[in-house]
Short mmCIF file of all heavy atoms in Angstrom, two decimals:
data_model
loop_
_atom_site.label_atom_id
_atom_site.label_comp_id
_atom_site.label_asym_id
_atom_site.label_seq_id
_atom_site.Cartn_x
_atom_site.Cartn_y
_atom_site.Cartn_z
N MET I 1 -11.55 4.52 11.43
CA MET I 1 -10.74 3.60 10.62
C MET I 1 -11.19 3.69 9.16
O MET I 1 -12.37 3.70 8.85
CB MET I 1 -10.93 2.17 11.12
CG MET I 1 -9.80 1.28 10.73
SD MET I 1 -8.73 0.95 12.13
CE MET I 1 -9.54 -0.51 12.82
N THR I 2 -10.20 3.77 8.28
CA THR I 2 -10.48 3.89 6.85
C THR I 2 -9.79 2.75 6.10
O THR I 2 -8.67 2.40 6.44
CB THR I 2 -9.92 5.23 6.30
OG1 THR I 2 -10.45 6.29 7.10
CG2 THR I 2 -10.31 5.44 4.85
N THR I 3 -10.47 2.18 5.13
CA THR I 3 -9.84 1.17 4.29
C THR I 3 -9.87 1.66 2.84
O THR I 3 -10.90 2.10 2.36
CB THR I 3 -10.57 -0.18 4.40
OG1 THR I 3 -10.49 -0.63 5.75
CG2 THR I 3 -9.91 -1.24 3.50
N VAL I 4 -8.70 1.61 2.21
CA VAL I 4 -8.60 1.99 0.80
C VAL I 4 -7.97 0.85 0.02
O VAL I 4 -7.27 0.01 0.58
CB VAL I 4 -7.74 3.27 0.60
CG1 VAL I 4 -8.43 4.49 1.17
CG2 VAL I 4 -6.35 3.10 1.21
N SER I 5 -8.24 0.82 -1.26
CA SER I 5 -7.62 -0.17 -2.12
C SER I 5 -7.02 0.56 -3.31
O SER I 5 -7.73 1.27 -4.03
CB SER I 5 -8.67 -1.19 -2.57
OG SER I 5 -8.03 -2.21 -3.30
N TYR I 6 -5.71 0.43 -3.46
CA TYR I 6 -5.01 1.12 -4.53
C TYR I 6 -4.51 0.15 -5.57
O TYR I 6 -4.09 -0.96 -5.25
CB TYR I 6 -3.77 1.84 -3.99
CG TYR I 6 -4.04 2.97 -3.04
CD1 TYR I 6 -3.31 3.07 -1.86
CD2 TYR I 6 -4.98 3.94 -3.31
CE1 TYR I 6 -3.52 4.11 -0.98
CE2 TYR I 6 -5.20 4.99 -2.44
CZ TYR I 6 -4.46 5.07 -1.27
OH TYR I 6 -4.67 6.10 -0.40
N SER I 7 -4.52 0.60 -6.80
CA SER I 7 -3.85 -0.12 -7.87
C SER I 7 -2.39 0.32 -7.87
O SER I 7 -2.10 1.51 -7.89
CB SER I 7 -4.54 0.26 -9.19
OG SER I 7 -3.68 -0.01 -10.26
N VAL I 8 -1.47 -0.66 -7.80
CA VAL I 8 -0.04 -0.35 -7.82
C VAL I 8 0.60 -1.18 -8.95
O VAL I 8 1.02 -2.32 -8.74
CB VAL I 8 0.62 -0.64 -6.45
CG1 VAL I 8 2.12 -0.32 -6.49
CG2 VAL I 8 -0.06 0.17 -5.34
N PRO I 9 0.65 -0.60 -10.15
CA PRO I 9 1.05 -1.37 -11.34
C PRO I 9 2.48 -1.91 -11.31
O PRO I 9 2.78 -2.86 -12.02
CB PRO I 9 0.90 -0.36 -12.48
CG PRO I 9 0.05 0.74 -11.93
CD PRO I 9 0.26 0.78 -10.47
N THR I 10 3.37 -1.31 -10.50
CA THR I 10 4.76 -1.77 -10.50
C THR I 10 4.99 -3.01 -9.64
O THR I 10 6.10 -3.53 -9.60
CB THR I 10 5.73 -0.64 -10.06
OG1 THR I 10 5.25 -0.08 -8.85
CG2 THR I 10 5.82 0.45 -11.12
N ILE I 11 3.97 -3.50 -8.97
CA ILE I 11 4.11 -4.77 -8.23
C ILE I 11 4.20 -5.90 -9.26
O ILE I 11 3.30 -6.08 -10.08
CB ILE I 11 2.89 -5.01 -7.30
CG1 ILE I 11 2.93 -4.06 -6.11
CG2 ILE I 11 2.86 -6.46 -6.82
CD1 ILE I 11 1.74 -4.19 -5.16
N HIS I 12 5.34 -6.63 -9.23
CA HIS I 12 5.51 -7.69 -10.23
C HIS I 12 5.99 -9.02 -9.67
O HIS I 12 6.15 -9.97 -10.42
CB HIS I 12 6.45 -7.21 -11.34
CG HIS I 12 7.85 -6.99 -10.86
ND1 HIS I 12 8.27 -5.78 -10.36
CD2 HIS I 12 8.90 -7.83 -10.75
CE1 HIS I 12 9.54 -5.91 -9.98
NE2 HIS I 12 9.94 -7.12 -10.20
N CYS I 13 6.25 -9.09 -8.36
CA CYS I 13 6.68 -10.37 -7.78
C CYS I 13 6.43 -10.37 -6.28
O CYS I 13 6.03 -9.36 -5.70
CB CYS I 13 8.16 -10.65 -8.11
SG CYS I 13 9.30 -9.55 -7.26
N GLU I 14 6.71 -11.52 -5.65
CA GLU I 14 6.49 -11.64 -4.21
C GLU I 14 7.36 -10.67 -3.41
O GLU I 14 6.98 -10.23 -2.34
CB GLU I 14 6.80 -13.08 -3.75
CG GLU I 14 5.79 -14.12 -4.23
CD GLU I 14 4.39 -13.91 -3.67
OE1 GLU I 14 4.24 -13.24 -2.61
OE2 GLU I 14 3.44 -14.41 -4.28
N HIS I 15 8.53 -10.38 -3.96
CA HIS I 15 9.40 -9.42 -3.28
C HIS I 15 8.72 -8.06 -3.19
O HIS I 15 8.78 -7.38 -2.16
CB HIS I 15 10.74 -9.32 -4.02
CG HIS I 15 11.63 -8.23 -3.49
ND1 HIS I 15 12.34 -8.36 -2.32
CD2 HIS I 15 11.87 -6.98 -3.94
CE1 HIS I 15 13.01 -7.23 -2.10
NE2 HIS I 15 12.74 -6.38 -3.06
N CYS I 16 8.06 -7.67 -4.25
CA CYS I 16 7.34 -6.38 -4.27
C CYS I 16 6.23 -6.36 -3.22
O CYS I 16 6.10 -5.39 -2.47
CB CYS I 16 6.72 -6.13 -5.64
SG CYS I 16 7.89 -5.94 -6.98
N THR I 17 5.43 -7.43 -3.18
CA THR I 17 4.32 -7.43 -2.23
C THR I 17 4.86 -7.37 -0.80
O THR I 17 4.32 -6.67 0.05
CB THR I 17 3.43 -8.69 -2.38
OG1 THR I 17 4.21 -9.86 -2.17
CG2 THR I 17 2.79 -8.76 -3.74
N HIS I 18 5.98 -8.08 -0.57
CA HIS I 18 6.58 -8.08 0.76
C HIS I 18 7.09 -6.69 1.13
O HIS I 18 6.86 -6.21 2.24
CB HIS I 18 7.72 -9.11 0.78
CG HIS I 18 8.34 -9.28 2.12
ND1 HIS I 18 7.67 -9.88 3.18
CD2 HIS I 18 9.56 -8.92 2.59
CE1 HIS I 18 8.46 -9.88 4.23
NE2 HIS I 18 9.61 -9.31 3.92
N THR I 19 7.80 -6.05 0.19
CA THR I 19 8.34 -4.71 0.44
C THR I 19 7.22 -3.72 0.75
O THR I 19 7.29 -2.95 1.71
CB THR I 19 9.15 -4.21 -0.78
OG1 THR I 19 10.18 -5.16 -1.05
CG2 THR I 19 9.75 -2.84 -0.54
N VAL I 20 6.18 -3.75 -0.07
CA VAL I 20 5.06 -2.82 0.12
C VAL I 20 4.41 -3.06 1.48
O VAL I 20 4.15 -2.12 2.24
CB VAL I 20 4.03 -2.97 -1.03
CG1 VAL I 20 2.71 -2.29 -0.67
CG2 VAL I 20 4.60 -2.42 -2.33
N GLU I 21 4.17 -4.32 1.82
CA GLU I 21 3.51 -4.62 3.10
C GLU I 21 4.37 -4.17 4.27
O GLU I 21 3.87 -3.60 5.25
CB GLU I 21 3.20 -6.12 3.20
CG GLU I 21 2.04 -6.52 2.29
CD GLU I 21 1.74 -8.00 2.29
OE1 GLU I 21 2.51 -8.78 2.90
OE2 GLU I 21 0.72 -8.39 1.68
N MET I 22 5.67 -4.41 4.18
CA MET I 22 6.56 -4.03 5.27
C MET I 22 6.67 -2.52 5.45
O MET I 22 6.53 -2.00 6.54
CB MET I 22 7.97 -4.58 5.02
CG MET I 22 8.20 -5.89 5.71
SD MET I 22 9.96 -6.34 5.83
CE MET I 22 10.81 -4.86 5.32
N GLU I 23 6.90 -1.84 4.32
CA GLU I 23 7.13 -0.39 4.39
C GLU I 23 5.86 0.36 4.81
O GLU I 23 5.90 1.22 5.68
CB GLU I 23 7.62 0.14 3.04
CG GLU I 23 8.97 -0.40 2.61
CD GLU I 23 10.15 0.28 3.32
OE1 GLU I 23 9.95 1.39 3.87
OE2 GLU I 23 11.24 -0.30 3.33
N VAL I 24 4.75 0.02 4.19
CA VAL I 24 3.50 0.70 4.54
C VAL I 24 3.10 0.33 5.96
O VAL I 24 2.61 1.17 6.73
CB VAL I 24 2.37 0.39 3.53
CG1 VAL I 24 1.05 1.02 3.97
CG2 VAL I 24 2.74 0.88 2.14
N GLY I 25 3.36 -0.92 6.34
CA GLY I 25 3.02 -1.38 7.69
C GLY I 25 3.75 -0.65 8.79
O GLY I 25 3.31 -0.64 9.94
N GLU I 26 4.89 -0.04 8.43
CA GLU I 26 5.66 0.70 9.43
C GLU I 26 5.15 2.12 9.64
O GLU I 26 5.57 2.79 10.58
CB GLU I 26 7.14 0.74 9.03
CG GLU I 26 7.83 -0.58 9.39
CD GLU I 26 9.28 -0.63 8.94
OE1 GLU I 26 9.83 0.40 8.53
OE2 GLU I 26 9.85 -1.73 9.02
N LEU I 27 4.27 2.58 8.77
CA LEU I 27 3.71 3.93 8.95
C LEU I 27 2.83 3.93 10.20
O LEU I 27 1.96 3.06 10.36
CB LEU I 27 2.84 4.31 7.76
CG LEU I 27 3.38 5.22 6.68
CD1 LEU I 27 2.24 5.59 5.73
CD2 LEU I 27 4.00 6.48 7.25
N GLN I 28 3.02 4.93 11.03
CA GLN I 28 2.23 5.02 12.25
C GLN I 28 0.76 5.23 11.91
O GLN I 28 0.43 6.11 11.11
CB GLN I 28 2.74 6.18 13.10
CG GLN I 28 2.68 5.87 14.58
CD GLN I 28 3.01 7.08 15.44
OE1 GLN I 28 3.64 8.02 14.96
NE2 GLN I 28 2.59 7.04 16.68
N GLY I 29 -0.10 4.40 12.46
CA GLY I 29 -1.53 4.52 12.21
C GLY I 29 -2.05 3.46 11.26
O GLY I 29 -3.25 3.22 11.18
N VAL I 30 -1.14 2.82 10.52
CA VAL I 30 -1.57 1.77 9.59
C VAL I 30 -1.82 0.48 10.36
O VAL I 30 -0.97 0.03 11.12
CB VAL I 30 -0.52 1.54 8.47
CG1 VAL I 30 -0.86 0.30 7.65
CG2 VAL I 30 -0.44 2.78 7.58
N GLN I 31 -3.02 -0.09 10.19
CA GLN I 31 -3.39 -1.30 10.94
C GLN I 31 -3.15 -2.56 10.13
O GLN I 31 -2.63 -3.54 10.64
CB GLN I 31 -4.88 -1.26 11.32
CG GLN I 31 -5.38 0.07 11.87
CD GLN I 31 -4.85 0.34 13.26
OE1 GLN I 31 -4.70 -0.58 14.05
NE2 GLN I 31 -4.54 1.59 13.55
N VAL I 32 -3.58 -2.55 8.88
CA VAL I 32 -3.49 -3.75 8.04
C VAL I 32 -3.05 -3.35 6.63
O VAL I 32 -3.54 -2.36 6.08
CB VAL I 32 -4.87 -4.46 7.93
CG1 VAL I 32 -4.74 -5.77 7.16
CG2 VAL I 32 -5.48 -4.70 9.29
N VAL I 33 -2.13 -4.13 6.07
CA VAL I 33 -1.73 -3.92 4.67
C VAL I 33 -1.74 -5.27 3.99
O VAL I 33 -1.13 -6.23 4.47
CB VAL I 33 -0.29 -3.38 4.53
CG1 VAL I 33 -0.03 -2.97 3.07
CG2 VAL I 33 -0.02 -2.24 5.48
N LYS I 34 -2.44 -5.37 2.87
CA LYS I 34 -2.41 -6.61 2.11
C LYS I 34 -2.13 -6.27 0.66
O LYS I 34 -2.91 -5.59 0.00
CB LYS I 34 -3.75 -7.34 2.27
CG LYS I 34 -3.79 -8.72 1.61
CD LYS I 34 -2.97 -9.75 2.39
CE LYS I 34 -2.70 -11.01 1.56
NZ LYS I 34 -1.54 -10.86 0.64
N ALA I 35 -0.98 -6.73 0.16
CA ALA I 35 -0.63 -6.51 -1.24
C ALA I 35 -0.88 -7.80 -2.00
O ALA I 35 -0.50 -8.88 -1.57
CB ALA I 35 0.83 -6.09 -1.35
N ASP I 36 -1.55 -7.69 -3.15
CA ASP I 36 -1.88 -8.88 -3.94
C ASP I 36 -1.16 -8.84 -5.28
O ASP I 36 -1.30 -7.89 -6.05
CB ASP I 36 -3.39 -8.96 -4.15
CG ASP I 36 -3.76 -10.27 -4.82
OD1 ASP I 36 -3.79 -11.30 -4.13
OD2 ASP I 36 -3.98 -10.25 -6.05
N LEU I 37 -0.37 -9.88 -5.51
CA LEU I 37 0.45 -9.94 -6.72
C LEU I 37 -0.41 -10.08 -7.99
O LEU I 37 -0.16 -9.41 -8.99
CB LEU I 37 1.43 -11.11 -6.60
CG LEU I 37 2.34 -11.41 -7.78
CD1 LEU I 37 3.19 -10.20 -8.14
CD2 LEU I 37 3.23 -12.60 -7.46
N ASP I 38 -1.40 -10.95 -7.97
CA ASP I 38 -2.20 -11.22 -9.17
C ASP I 38 -2.95 -9.99 -9.66
O ASP I 38 -3.00 -9.72 -10.85
CB ASP I 38 -3.20 -12.35 -8.91
CG ASP I 38 -2.48 -13.68 -8.67
OD1 ASP I 38 -1.37 -13.85 -9.21
OD2 ASP I 38 -3.03 -14.53 -7.95
N THR I 39 -3.54 -9.27 -8.72
CA THR I 39 -4.34 -8.11 -9.11
C THR I 39 -3.56 -6.80 -9.06
O THR I 39 -4.05 -5.77 -9.48
CB THR I 39 -5.57 -7.98 -8.18
OG1 THR I 39 -5.10 -7.87 -6.83
CG2 THR I 39 -6.48 -9.19 -8.29
N LYS I 40 -2.34 -6.84 -8.49
CA LYS I 40 -1.52 -5.63 -8.30
C LYS I 40 -2.29 -4.57 -7.50
O LYS I 40 -2.27 -3.38 -7.82
CB LYS I 40 -1.05 -5.06 -9.64
CG LYS I 40 -0.16 -6.02 -10.43
CD LYS I 40 0.26 -5.41 -11.74
CE LYS I 40 0.94 -6.39 -12.68
NZ LYS I 40 2.21 -6.91 -12.17
N LYS I 41 -2.98 -5.07 -6.48
CA LYS I 41 -3.74 -4.16 -5.62
C LYS I 41 -3.17 -4.20 -4.20
O LYS I 41 -2.68 -5.24 -3.76
CB LYS I 41 -5.21 -4.58 -5.54
CG LYS I 41 -6.00 -4.25 -6.77
CD LYS I 41 -7.50 -4.31 -6.54
CE LYS I 41 -8.01 -5.63 -6.04
NZ LYS I 41 -9.46 -5.74 -6.08
N VAL I 42 -3.27 -3.06 -3.53
CA VAL I 42 -2.85 -2.99 -2.14
C VAL I 42 -4.01 -2.45 -1.33
O VAL I 42 -4.52 -1.36 -1.60
CB VAL I 42 -1.62 -2.06 -1.96
CG1 VAL I 42 -1.18 -2.04 -0.50
CG2 VAL I 42 -0.48 -2.51 -2.86
N GLN I 43 -4.46 -3.24 -0.36
CA GLN I 43 -5.56 -2.80 0.50
C GLN I 43 -4.98 -2.43 1.86
O GLN I 43 -4.21 -3.18 2.45
CB GLN I 43 -6.59 -3.92 0.65
CG GLN I 43 -7.83 -3.45 1.42
CD GLN I 43 -9.00 -4.40 1.24
OE1 GLN I 43 -9.35 -4.75 0.12
NE2 GLN I 43 -9.60 -4.80 2.34
N ILE I 44 -5.34 -1.23 2.30
CA ILE I 44 -4.75 -0.68 3.52
C ILE I 44 -5.84 -0.16 4.44
O ILE I 44 -6.72 0.58 4.01
CB ILE I 44 -3.78 0.49 3.18
CG1 ILE I 44 -2.70 0.02 2.18
CG2 ILE I 44 -3.14 1.05 4.45
CD1 ILE I 44 -2.07 1.16 1.40
N THR I 45 -5.77 -0.57 5.70
CA THR I 45 -6.69 -0.07 6.72
C THR I 45 -5.86 0.78 7.68
O THR I 45 -4.83 0.33 8.17
CB THR I 45 -7.36 -1.23 7.45
OG1 THR I 45 -8.09 -2.00 6.49
CG2 THR I 45 -8.34 -0.72 8.51
N PHE I 46 -6.33 1.99 7.90
CA PHE I 46 -5.53 2.91 8.72
C PHE I 46 -6.39 3.89 9.52
O PHE I 46 -7.58 4.05 9.27
CB PHE I 46 -4.55 3.70 7.84
CG PHE I 46 -5.23 4.61 6.85
CD1 PHE I 46 -5.47 5.94 7.17
CD2 PHE I 46 -5.64 4.15 5.60
CE1 PHE I 46 -6.11 6.80 6.27
CE2 PHE I 46 -6.29 4.99 4.70
CZ PHE I 46 -6.51 6.31 5.03
N ASP I 47 -5.72 4.49 10.48
CA ASP I 47 -6.28 5.54 11.32
C ASP I 47 -5.28 6.69 11.36
O ASP I 47 -4.12 6.49 10.99
CB ASP I 47 -6.42 5.01 12.75
CG ASP I 47 -7.84 4.61 13.09
OD1 ASP I 47 -8.77 5.23 12.54
OD2 ASP I 47 -8.01 3.69 13.91
N ALA I 48 -5.67 7.84 11.87
CA ALA I 48 -4.71 8.92 12.11
C ALA I 48 -3.63 8.39 13.05
O ALA I 48 -3.95 7.56 13.91
CB ALA I 48 -5.41 10.12 12.74
N PRO I 49 -2.35 8.81 12.90
CA PRO I 49 -1.90 9.91 12.04
C PRO I 49 -1.65 9.53 10.58
O PRO I 49 -1.22 10.38 9.82
CB PRO I 49 -0.59 10.34 12.72
CG PRO I 49 -0.05 9.08 13.31
CD PRO I 49 -1.27 8.29 13.74
N ALA I 50 -1.88 8.29 10.19
CA ALA I 50 -1.72 7.94 8.78
C ALA I 50 -2.83 8.62 7.97
O ALA I 50 -3.90 8.92 8.50
CB ALA I 50 -1.77 6.43 8.59
N SER I 51 -2.54 8.86 6.70
CA SER I 51 -3.54 9.46 5.81
C SER I 51 -3.27 8.95 4.41
O SER I 51 -2.17 8.44 4.13
CB SER I 51 -3.41 10.99 5.82
OG SER I 51 -2.15 11.38 5.30
N GLU I 52 -4.23 9.10 3.53
CA GLU I 52 -4.02 8.69 2.13
C GLU I 52 -2.82 9.41 1.54
O GLU I 52 -2.04 8.84 0.79
CB GLU I 52 -5.27 8.98 1.30
CG GLU I 52 -6.37 7.97 1.51
CD GLU I 52 -7.30 7.92 0.30
OE1 GLU I 52 -6.84 7.57 -0.80
OE2 GLU I 52 -8.48 8.28 0.46
N GLU I 53 -2.72 10.69 1.89
CA GLU I 53 -1.61 11.50 1.38
C GLU I 53 -0.26 10.92 1.78
O GLU I 53 0.65 10.78 0.97
CB GLU I 53 -1.77 12.92 1.94
CG GLU I 53 -1.04 14.00 1.17
CD GLU I 53 -1.41 15.36 1.73
OE1 GLU I 53 -1.12 15.62 2.91
OE2 GLU I 53 -1.99 16.16 0.98
N LYS I 54 -0.14 10.56 3.06
CA LYS I 54 1.13 10.02 3.56
C LYS I 54 1.42 8.65 2.96
O LYS I 54 2.56 8.33 2.63
CB LYS I 54 1.08 9.88 5.10
CG LYS I 54 1.23 11.20 5.82
CD LYS I 54 1.20 10.98 7.33
CE LYS I 54 1.11 12.31 8.07
NZ LYS I 54 0.82 12.12 9.51
N ILE I 55 0.39 7.83 2.83
CA ILE I 55 0.57 6.49 2.27
C ILE I 55 1.01 6.59 0.82
O ILE I 55 1.95 5.93 0.39
CB ILE I 55 -0.73 5.67 2.42
CG1 ILE I 55 -1.00 5.36 3.89
CG2 ILE I 55 -0.63 4.38 1.60
CD1 ILE I 55 -2.42 4.87 4.18
N LYS I 56 0.35 7.45 0.06
CA LYS I 56 0.72 7.61 -1.36
C LYS I 56 2.12 8.17 -1.51
O LYS I 56 2.87 7.77 -2.41
CB LYS I 56 -0.28 8.54 -2.06
CG LYS I 56 -1.61 7.88 -2.34
CD LYS I 56 -2.47 8.86 -3.12
CE LYS I 56 -3.90 8.43 -3.21
NZ LYS I 56 -4.73 9.48 -3.82
N ALA I 57 2.49 9.10 -0.63
CA ALA I 57 3.83 9.69 -0.70
C ALA I 57 4.88 8.62 -0.43
O ALA I 57 5.90 8.55 -1.10
CB ALA I 57 3.95 10.84 0.30
N LEU I 58 4.61 7.78 0.57
CA LEU I 58 5.55 6.71 0.90
C LEU I 58 5.68 5.72 -0.26
O LEU I 58 6.78 5.34 -0.65
CB LEU I 58 5.09 5.97 2.16
CG LEU I 58 5.88 4.69 2.49
CD1 LEU I 58 7.31 5.02 2.88
CD2 LEU I 58 5.22 3.90 3.59
N LEU I 59 4.56 5.33 -0.82
CA LEU I 59 4.60 4.37 -1.94
C LEU I 59 5.37 4.94 -3.13
O LEU I 59 6.13 4.23 -3.78
CB LEU I 59 3.18 3.96 -2.34
CG LEU I 59 2.50 2.98 -1.38
CD1 LEU I 59 1.02 2.86 -1.69
CD2 LEU I 59 3.17 1.60 -1.45
N ALA I 60 5.21 6.22 -3.39
CA ALA I 60 5.93 6.86 -4.49
C ALA I 60 7.43 6.85 -4.19
O ALA I 60 8.25 6.57 -5.06
CB ALA I 60 5.43 8.28 -4.70
N GLU I 61 7.76 7.12 -2.94
CA GLU I 61 9.15 7.18 -2.49
C GLU I 61 9.87 5.83 -2.66
O GLU I 61 11.04 5.78 -3.03
CB GLU I 61 9.14 7.59 -1.02
CG GLU I 61 10.42 8.11 -0.44
CD GLU I 61 10.19 8.52 1.01
OE1 GLU I 61 9.37 9.45 1.24
OE2 GLU I 61 10.78 7.91 1.89
N ILE I 62 9.19 4.74 -2.39
CA ILE I 62 9.81 3.42 -2.51
C ILE I 62 9.58 2.83 -3.90
O ILE I 62 9.78 1.64 -4.12
CB ILE I 62 9.33 2.46 -1.39
CG1 ILE I 62 7.83 2.17 -1.46
CG2 ILE I 62 9.71 3.01 -0.01
CD1 ILE I 62 7.36 1.07 -0.51
N GLU I 63 9.16 3.67 -4.82
CA GLU I 63 9.00 3.30 -6.23
C GLU I 63 7.87 2.32 -6.53
O GLU I 63 7.95 1.50 -7.44
CB GLU I 63 10.34 2.85 -6.82
CG GLU I 63 11.28 4.05 -6.91
CD GLU I 63 12.69 3.72 -7.34
OE1 GLU I 63 12.97 2.57 -7.64
OE2 GLU I 63 13.51 4.66 -7.36
N TYR I 64 6.83 2.45 -5.72
CA TYR I 64 5.58 1.74 -6.01
C TYR I 64 4.45 2.76 -6.06
O TYR I 64 3.54 2.74 -5.23
CB TYR I 64 5.29 0.66 -4.96
CG TYR I 64 6.30 -0.48 -5.03
CD1 TYR I 64 7.30 -0.59 -4.07
CD2 TYR I 64 6.24 -1.40 -6.06
CE1 TYR I 64 8.24 -1.62 -4.14
CE2 TYR I 64 7.17 -2.43 -6.14
CZ TYR I 64 8.17 -2.53 -5.18
OH TYR I 64 9.09 -3.53 -5.27
N PRO I 65 4.51 3.68 -7.03
CA PRO I 65 3.50 4.75 -7.06
C PRO I 65 2.09 4.18 -7.30
O PRO I 65 1.92 3.20 -8.01
CB PRO I 65 3.94 5.64 -8.22
CG PRO I 65 4.83 4.78 -9.05
CD PRO I 65 5.48 3.80 -8.13
N VAL I 66 1.14 4.83 -6.68
CA VAL I 66 -0.26 4.42 -6.80
C VAL I 66 -0.77 4.80 -8.18
O VAL I 66 -0.65 5.93 -8.62
CB VAL I 66 -1.10 5.09 -5.70
CG1 VAL I 66 -2.59 4.88 -5.95
CG2 VAL I 66 -0.68 4.56 -4.34
N GLY I 67 -1.36 3.82 -8.88
CA GLY I 67 -1.91 4.07 -10.20
C GLY I 67 -3.34 4.56 -10.12
O GLY I 67 -3.85 5.17 -11.04
N GLY I 68 -4.01 4.27 -9.02
CA GLY I 68 -5.40 4.73 -8.89
C GLY I 68 -6.06 4.13 -7.68
O GLY I 68 -5.56 3.16 -7.10
N LEU I 69 -7.17 4.72 -7.28
CA LEU I 69 -7.96 4.23 -6.16
C LEU I 69 -9.02 3.30 -6.73
O LEU I 69 -9.70 3.63 -7.70
CB LEU I 69 -8.61 5.41 -5.45
CG LEU I 69 -9.49 5.13 -4.24
CD1 LEU I 69 -8.69 4.51 -3.09
CD2 LEU I 69 -10.16 6.41 -3.77
N ILE I 70 -9.16 2.13 -6.11
CA ILE I 70 -10.16 1.18 -6.57
C ILE I 70 -11.34 1.21 -5.61
O ILE I 70 -11.14 1.15 -4.39
CB ILE I 70 -9.53 -0.24 -6.63
CG1 ILE I 70 -8.40 -0.27 -7.65
CG2 ILE I 70 -10.59 -1.28 -6.95
CD1 ILE I 70 -7.44 -1.41 -7.47
N ALA I 71 -12.52 1.30 -6.15
CA ALA I 71 -13.71 1.33 -5.29
C ALA I 71 -13.85 -0.01 -4.59
O ALA I 71 -13.68 -1.06 -5.19
CB ALA I 71 -14.95 1.60 -6.13
N LEU I 72 -14.13 0.02 -3.29
CA LEU I 72 -14.25 -1.22 -2.53
C LEU I 72 -15.68 -1.75 -2.61
O LEU I 72 -16.61 -0.99 -2.73
CB LEU I 72 -13.88 -0.99 -1.06
CG LEU I 72 -12.40 -0.80 -0.79
CD1 LEU I 72 -12.18 -0.43 0.67
CD2 LEU I 72 -11.61 -2.06 -1.11
CU1 CU C 101 9.02 -7.54 -7.53
#
């Protein structure tokens, strides 16, 4: 199990956090997704077959591109 925390600068309201949590949560292998509006961070815990590559690709696709990886 891997946990990452990404900066997602385009998160600007509750709708954004909800969309990100729902969409990323549907990726196979993703266990937990928590998007935070105040910090514009998304913390994701996942296992295979999910990967950082797949998660980042999905976020870019739904127009919430990852701005950077935040050290946990
Ligand atoms: Cu929004």
Side-chain angles (χ1 to χ4, degrees):
M1 202 105 89
T2 306
T3 299
V4 292
S5 185
Y6 294 134
S7 159
V8 179
T10 51
I11 288 178
H12 66 270
C13 69
E14 290 296 339
H15 172 77
C16 296
T17 60
H18 185 69
T19 302
V20 165
E21 287 177 353
M22 265 196 10
E23 296 281 342
V24 176
E26 280 177 10
L27 259 188
Q28 216 187 340
V30 170
Q31 315 289 324
V32 185
V33 190
K34 185 73 195 83
D36 187 78
L37 177 58
D38 293 332
T39 58
K40 298 180 190 295
K41 285 196 303 192
V42 182
Q43 186 164 309
I44 304 158
T45 300
F46 64 94
D47 258 329
S51 64
E52 282 204 62
E53 200 173 62
K54 285 181 189 169
I55 292 165
K56 285 184 192 173
L58 171 67
L59 285 168
E61 198 177 298
I62 63 172
E63 291 174 4
Y64 292 105
V66 170
L69 180 64
I70 297 161
L72 287 174

